[in-house]
Amino acid sequence: MNTGFLPITKQEMLDRGWDQVDFVYVCGDAYVDHPSFGASIITRVLEANGYKIGFIAQPDWKDPKSIDVFGKPRLGFLVSSGNMDSLVNHYTVAKKHRSTDAFTPGGVMGKRPDRAVIVYCNLIRQTYKKDAIIIGGLEASLRRMGHYDYWSDSVRRSILLESGADIISYGMGEHSIVEIADALNSGLDVKDVTFIKGTVYKTRDEDSIYDAIRLPDFETIENDKREYARSFALQYKNTDPFQAKTMYECYGGKTFVVQNPPALPLSELEMDDVYKLPYMRAYHPSYEAAGGVPALQEIKFSLTSNRGCYGECNFCALTMHEGRIVQARSHESIITEAKEMIEDPDFKGYIHDVGGPTAEFRAPACSKQMTKGACVGKRCLYPKPCINLNVDHSDYLSLLRKLRKLQGVKKVFVRSGFRYDYLVADKNKDFLKELCQYHVSGQLRVAPEHISDNVLSKMGKPGVEIYNEFVKEFEKVNEELHLNQFIVPYLMSSHPGSRLEDAIMLAQYLKKHHISPEQVQDFYPTPGTVSTTMYYTGLDPFTLEPVFVEHNPHKKAMQRALIQYWKPENYDIVKEALKEAGREDLIGFGEECLIPPRKMTYTYKLSKGKDKNKNNKDKYKSKDKSKNRSKDKAKPAKINKKINNKESNRHKKTR
């Protein structure tokens, strides 16, 4: 039974009969008590272990008193930027300010600072000089060692040093946060809490670091890109909880930041226990007047089925944060949550999603992973599926069947991304058929990202022939079912390895297959990914071989525009790109041409002569502004598939 929201004021603390809280949780997000929010899981897990938690959401970082709501906590402060990295939350890949923040009441931007973890910790230290500070969440987890920072275009120190915190709880945190709390509760000084898996600590005594790998010193990776790449490769190869070694990094010859091996993955029973905690599954009532918290609407009627991903795309931080070993909840746990969801007055009969980082992953890639770990230096799906990979959709299919039979459920959608190569590898096509028949809302999201092998190899993605095979299977199934459904491919421009000719190749592919993406994701270099290391160093961190990286903003704009070659506003830059690449053969009226030789302007007319209905394709005129030839007509490119691929969706389901 729900016991109510955690206290957010001192009076609410006193009303519970508490004189003092054990921990104060300071968060960059608004307070949403739902298991899709990392802060909610961590605080409820601590509460279930007997600890008293006070919650401070989005404090005024310019006012030290905003951190003093509950006074001095008995054991310490917990700090997180929230579900998203604060800089990704604030800025586009072009480093322009975003206008809204889905994790703030009313979607208002500006309620959290840039580099929120650092700012909050410094704010705490102004009043509480020696109290324990434990930082966690995505922002802290992926900055746990020296790292390239895209926004300042520099290599920055571990966030443990920049923030002045005592410990980082990295990864998902359920195991490590309870062990930290128990250690502090036993009377240990925070400086002596150095033995917990899934944590990072600092020390001045190198001799106390046992059986560990010494990474290149910070001053070395700050000035030598080759050494930076080598350091990242060592860290990446030590992300498996069963095989990873302790690693440490030296700063100034006297301070050492030490990363313990990752915490063990949760068992099914532990996952079930986490998700049955008494979440309110709502934002705090104090936000009602502001219109609530928009991010909740995206996930309120969605079900988390799993975590972790062995897909291991190079541009994704999941390997460094959640890990490669997939962990899943039981059917009973998920169905129990679904039944609670059905009782919600706002539930309209539609479960919006059942999934996680990858929707259909419901078990480790192979039987040995839960005892021996994931293979070091070998991937489960790239360049082709491992012979030991367990390709089986039966458990996920069984779960979906049970959910759609629940009374009160009209439709169960699956909107998490799918691994199309995993679907193709499954010889049993029953799952794909039922997916199309019952669980696709007209569009299925998959992520080919590109079609050029030059780029795909740097992404860690399979060749385009696998994607093409999947498209054929999808279309065949929908034809058999008499359904008119489409694939929504996620596409990315300017990823390391992508040259202008690769972008042109992608544009030609889109033209041939009548795909017209409305939005495109530029590669966004964020901490903790292989691709970001390539972007910064120009090297493959595993082979140290050179990788082409396009840094010129105008040439990056060319690559992006080519993916949307059909947009009138992109005509000039697409034409410039084609000329620069020596591909004038793609300028003309031929079937394979991307753009005509001269710029066309189309005006669409209603019967009353108003230029409003742009979907009325029977009434249009084309005008050539460069020459007085108003009678020349050219029909605009047919758009068979409109793709909505918002950038914010690329950062969901991590915390």
Side-chain angles (χ1 to χ4, degrees):
M1 178 176 290
N2 288 353
T3 57
F5 289 92
L6 298 173
I8 65 169
T9 67
K10 188 170 185 178
Q11 186 58 52
E12 290 178 358
M13 177 188 77
L14 296 173
D15 289 345
R16 288 193 172 207
W18 301 348
D19 295 325
Q20 186 183 32
V21 294
D22 296 319
F23 291 100
V24 172
Y25 195 110
V26 180
C27 187
D29 287 343
Y31 179 24
V32 181
D33 192 26
H34 188 283
S36 289
F37 287 70
S40 181
I41 284 183
I42 294 301
T43 53
R44 288 299 186 186
V45 165
L46 284 170
E47 181 187 48
N49 281 270
Y51 295 100
K52 302 171 184 176
I53 314 297
F55 202 102
I56 300 178
Q58 300 185 320
D60 181 353
W61 70 92
K62 299 174 184 177
D63 180 8
K65 293 182 180 179
S66 66
I67 220 75
D68 202 29
V69 173
F70 300 99
K72 179 183 174 67
R74 184 172 71 89
L75 297 176
F77 288 88
L78 310 174
V79 178
S80 167
S81 70
N83 263 28
M84 283 182 67
D85 185 294
S86 60
L87 292 168
V88 175
N89 178 276
H90 287 174
Y91 301 100
T92 68
V93 65
K95 301 182 182 179
K96 295 181 179 179
H97 281 277
R98 301 189 195 274
S99 57
T100 60
D101 180 352
F103 296 91
T104 295
V108 175
M109 178 56 76
K111 292 295 184 180
R112 83 183 87 205
D114 288 355
R115 308 187 191 282
V117 170
I118 295 172
V119 174
Y120 291 152
C121 288
N122 291 336
L123 188 67
I124 292 168
R125 284 287 181 237
Q126 291 181 40
T127 304
Y128 301 96
K129 306 293 185 183
K130 296 183 179 180
D131 286 65
I133 300 178
I134 298 94
I135 58 178
L138 195 69
E139 184 166 306
S141 181
L142 298 180
R143 290 172 169 80
R144 54 191 185 257
M145 307 300 270
H147 57 278
Y148 171 70
D149 181 81
Y150 171 69
W151 301 273
S152 63
D153 192 24
S154 66
V155 177
R156 295 180 69 110
R157 299 183 301 159
S158 164
I159 196 171
L160 191 64
L161 300 181
E162 292 199 329
S163 66
D166 297 291
I167 300 175
I168 301 174
S169 170
Y170 73 87
M172 302 305 277
E174 291 97 342
H175 280 154
S176 60
I177 199 63
V178 173
E179 292 183 50
I180 292 168
D182 288 347
L184 296 175
N185 191 46
S186 72
L188 277 179
D189 188 283
V190 69
K191 293 181 175 56
D192 296 324
V193 183
T194 62
F195 50 86
I196 296 171
K197 287 189 173 185
T199 63
V200 179
Y201 67 93
K202 55 192 174 185
T203 182
R204 287 179 174 267
D205 182 10
E206 185 176 10
D207 291 337
S208 68
I209 307 169
Y210 176 72
D211 190 23
I213 298 170
R214 178 165 176 164
L215 299 169
D217 293 354
F218 175 75
E219 290 74 19
T220 300
I221 65 169
E222 186 181 26
N223 297 294
D224 187 330
K225 292 183 177 181
R226 188 178 183 86
E227 285 299 291
Y228 180 98
R230 190 173 73 84
S231 179
F232 179 84
L234 284 169
Q235 295 174 55
Y236 192 88
K237 291 173 183 177
N238 282 273
T239 55
D240 182 82
F242 295 96
Q243 303 175 67
K245 291 276 193 178
T246 299
M247 296 177 291
Y248 67 104
E249 197 172 60
C250 181
Y251 291 79
K254 55 186 178 180
T255 300
F256 303 92
V257 173
V258 186
Q259 175 183 308
N260 288 318
L264 292 173
L266 297 186
S267 66
E268 182 180 88
L269 179 60
E270 288 173 324
M271 281 276 283
D272 289 353
D273 286 344
V274 165
Y275 283 87
K276 74 179 182 183
L277 294 172
Y279 306 100
M280 297 299 291
R281 302 183 183 276
Y283 52 73
H284 196 275
S286 61
Y287 304 141
E288 197 65 49
V293 181
L296 179 63
Q297 301 308 312
E298 289 287 321
I299 49 82
K300 185 175 182 180
F301 299 122
S302 296
L303 296 164
T304 299
S305 165
N306 60 61
R307 66 171 57 163
C309 180
Y310 51 80
E312 215 173 345
C313 297
N314 284 340
F315 50 80
C316 180
L318 278 167
T319 296
M320 295 288 281
H321 187 61
E322 292 191 12
R324 290 172 59 188
I325 298 177
V326 171
Q327 303 139 72
R329 298 165 63 188
S330 70
H331 290 198
E332 292 74 19
S333 171
I334 296 170
I335 290 167
T336 297
E337 184 179 353
K339 289 178 178 178
E340 292 177 6
M341 187 184 295
I342 292 167
E343 298 301 317
D344 190 302
D346 294 329
F347 184 71
K348 306 300 182 185
Y350 300 96
I351 295 176
H352 295 159
D353 190 21
V354 184
T358 298
E360 76 266 44
F361 288 177
R362 286 278 303 160
C366 64
S367 57
K368 76 168 191 174
Q369 282 194 348
M370 287 302 289
T371 56
K372 297 181 180 178
C375 297
V376 176
K378 184 177 181 181
R379 302 194 177 196
C380 302
L381 282 165
Y382 178 81
K384 60 182 180 180
C386 175
I387 58 172
N388 295 316
L389 178 65
N390 180 25
V391 181
D392 185 3
H393 287 89
S394 60
D395 181 72
Y396 188 48
L397 181 56
S398 173
L399 173 62
L400 294 175
R401 286 170 176 170
K402 291 174 184 177
L403 288 169
R404 68 179 187 245
K405 288 180 181 178
L406 292 177
Q407 186 173 359
V409 172
K410 298 177 183 177
K411 191 84 172 178
V412 179
F413 294 116
V414 179
R415 290 174 176 163
S416 294
F418 280 88
R419 285 294 301 218
Y420 59 86
D421 47 353
Y422 188 78
L423 282 163
V424 167
D426 193 348
K427 302 305 179 185
N428 186 337
K429 303 305 176 185
D430 290 347
F431 173 73
L432 182 58
K433 183 175 182 179
E434 289 198 30
L435 175 70
C436 294
Q437 188 171 5
Y438 298 110
H439 305 291
V440 177
S441 56
Q443 296 179 334
L444 178 67
R445 299 175 183 178
V446 294
E449 304 293 357
H450 215 282
I451 57 90
S452 167
D453 287 340
N454 292 333
V455 185
L456 292 171
S457 64
K458 302 301 182 292
M459 291 179 164
K461 302 283 289 184
V464 70
E465 66 277 0
I466 303 298
Y467 176 67
N468 290 337
E469 184 177 347
F470 170 69
V471 171
K472 289 179 181 177
E473 290 185 3
F474 179 83
E475 291 177 344
K476 179 181 177 182
V477 167
N478 279 278
E479 185 177 351
E480 292 172 354
L481 295 172
H482 306 290
L483 294 173
N484 186 28
Q485 299 188 128
F486 300 103
I487 289 174
V488 179
Y490 287 140
L491 299 171
M492 186 183 295
S493 63
S494 301
H495 186 277
S498 179
R499 299 176 184 270
L500 192 56
E501 51 263 38
D502 298 301
I504 293 171
M505 189 185 303
L506 176 56
Q508 291 178 282
Y509 180 91
L510 298 175
K511 173 74 181 292
K512 178 180 178 180
H513 294 276
H514 308 291
I515 302 171
S516 301
E518 285 290 349
Q519 295 191 11
V520 177
Q521 170 70 58
D522 282 343
F523 168 65
Y524 202 149
T526 55
T529 75
V530 176
S531 298
T532 296
T533 300
M534 291 181 185
Y535 175 86
Y536 169 59
T537 66
L539 299 169
D540 182 318
F542 306 117
T543 65
L544 296 180
E545 293 178 353
V547 175
F548 172 80
V549 179
E550 185 58 82
H551 288 283
N552 184 290
H554 185 65
K555 292 187 177 182
K556 288 174 71 175
M558 285 182 179
Q559 291 200 28
R560 181 186 177 94
L562 278 161
I563 300 177
Q564 298 174 314
Y565 66 89
W566 48 273
K567 284 193 169 186
E569 61 267 32
N570 287 342
Y571 179 86
D572 291 331
I573 192 169
V574 169
K575 190 171 186 177
E576 179 188 356
L578 293 175
K579 285 186 174 181
E580 180 169 322
R583 294 304 306 270
E584 288 92 340
D585 59 302
L586 298 178
I587 303 172
F589 294 107
E591 185 177 346
E592 295 183 357
C593 292
L594 297 178
I595 56 173
R598 57 190 177 278
K599 193 170 186 176
M600 300 289 188
T601 301
Y602 302 101
T603 59
Y604 295 79
K605 299 288 184 179
L606 290 173
S607 56
K608 294 184 179 180
K610 296 181 180 180
D611 297 345
K612 291 184 178 180
N613 187 1
K614 292 187 178 182
N615 291 321
N616 189 347
K617 296 183 180 180
D618 294 330
K619 299 179 180 180
Y620 66 87
K621 294 181 179 180
S622 64
K623 296 181 180 179
D624 179 359
K625 290 188 174 182
S626 63
K627 297 180 181 179
N628 186 20
R629 296 176 62 188
S630 61
K631 293 184 180 181
D632 288 348
K633 295 182 180 181
K635 190 172 182 178
K638 183 178 180 183
I639 301 171
N640 290 338
K641 302 172 187 177
K642 294 283 186 178
I643 299 167
N644 294 315
N645 179 14
K646 295 184 179 179
E647 186 175 345
S648 61
N649 288 340
R650 307 301 294 274
H651 305 284
K652 292 194 303 184
K653 298 185 185 299
T654 55
R655 69 177 187 268

